[in-house]
Amino acid sequence: LAKTTQPISMDSYEGQEVNITCSHNNIATNDYITWYQQFPSQGPRFIIQGYKTKVTNEVASLFIPADRKSSTLSLPRVSLSDTAVYYCLVGDMRYNQGGKLIFGQGTELSVKP
Amino acid sequence: DAGVTQSPTHLIKTRGQQVTLRCSPKSGHDTVSWYQQALGQGPQFIFQYYEEEERQRGNFPDRFSGHQFPNYSSELNVNALLLGDSALYLCASSPLANTEAFFGQGTRLTVV
């Protein structure tokens, strides 16, 4: 599974757009990019997943350039409740059945009023 | 529809003891995975169960074992507890051939 690198922490203010970039230089052809969110003392929660270009859902957008060596999670107009740790994961999900997720250190996002 | 439920929520054990943690997957999910999360770290994969068999395993010693029942619920057993086993233990479930994992709230294990 490809190793990922993301900032340890980020600060933002309410109402701003937050972009968290993840580097995955060794991503393989069959790998997908997945982001999870985790609040203190809770399990991680799936946010979004993509393979290439752009994916958008009701929570976030995921931008993946053509070389797929990095990806950016975009959170529009963050609120205090978006304060959490965000994990970028890369792997071939076809045979994982949702298991064996490899988490890194994550990015601790702090949203201030 | 209940999500992934884990019990107990908190547990204190003495070094050398054994512990069993329980997980009920989300309705319709047949695959269960267990993770260990130390303070300030990301979750670490322990193992995955599907069709009552261990399908994948992470880098954990044999002191960590598990079981999956016909109703897809699962148990994580840890023998000969060490102080370093203190962590949040997370259970995740997913349906067959689906990449999204749903996590429970976790069991906070403290070994003293």
Side-chain angles (χ1 to χ4, degrees):
Chain A
L1 297 172
K3 179 178 170 60
T4 60
T5 303
Q6 50 184 124
I8 296 296
S9 64
M10 292 183 68
D11 291 331
S12 182
Y13 291 93
E14 281 191 294
Q16 288 188 331
E17 177 185 72
V18 171
N19 295 308
I20 306 175
T21 297
C22 178
S23 297
H24 28 79
N25 292 319
N26 296 323
I27 190 168
T29 302
N30 295 326
D31 286 347
Y32 281 73
I33 301 155
T34 310
W35 286 81
Y36 278 80
Q37 174 194 56
Q38 186 176 26
F39 298 112
S41 298
Q42 292 189 26
R45 182 177 74 101
F46 175 94
I47 301 176
I48 198 166
Q49 183 181 84
Y51 183 81
K52 62 180 179 181
T53 62
K54 177 183 175 182
V55 179
T56 297
N57 61 23
E58 64 279 6
V59 177
S61 294
L62 178 60
F63 298 92
I64 306 168
D67 66 6
R68 304 199 328 121
K69 293 184 182 300
S70 67
S71 59
T72 299
L73 174 72
S74 181
L75 305 173
R77 297 180 297 282
V78 295
S79 64
L80 296 176
S81 63
D82 292 317
T83 294
V85 178
Y86 292 82
Y87 294 98
C88 166
L89 290 78
V90 172
D92 184 350
M93 302 298 184
R94 293 177 301 168
Y95 307 109
N96 272 350
Q97 299 173 356
K100 199 174 184 179
L101 302 174
I102 306 299
F103 290 83
Q105 289 280 86
T107 296
E108 187 169 4
L109 173 65
S110 177
V111 180
K112 302 173 183 179
Chain B
D1 174 30
V4 179
T5 58
Q6 294 186 241
S7 63
T9 54
H10 296 83
L11 200 54
I12 299 175
K13 287 287 189 177
T14 303
R15 189 172 48 183
Q17 285 188 317
Q18 178 264 345
V19 68
T20 298
L21 310 181
R22 295 176 176 80
C23 171
S24 293
K26 187 176 170 63
S27 177
H29 290 188
D30 55 8
T31 301
V32 173
S33 301
W34 287 91
Y35 293 80
Q36 179 195 67
Q37 186 173 26
L39 203 60
Q41 303 294 319
Q44 300 297 307
F45 176 79
I46 303 175
F47 43 53
Q48 179 189 69
Y49 277 85
Y50 171 66
E51 292 188 338
E52 302 179 49
E53 290 188 6
E54 183 181 295
R55 295 290 175 148
Q56 300 186 73
R57 189 178 181 92
N59 188 27
F60 279 80
D62 292 344
R63 298 188 297 109
F64 290 77
S65 63
H67 188 78
Q68 185 179 35
F69 299 93
N71 66 353
Y72 307 129
S73 67
S74 177
E75 288 181 350
L76 164 66
N77 300 293
V78 186
N79 294 322
L81 285 167
L82 304 173
L83 296 179
D85 294 331
S86 295
L88 180 68
Y89 287 85
L90 296 161
C91 170
S93 74
S94 62
L96 178 64
N98 186 289
T99 62
E100 180 179 346
F102 292 79
F103 284 82
Q105 295 279 82
T107 294
R108 172 71 63 187
L109 172 65
T110 301
V111 182
V112 298

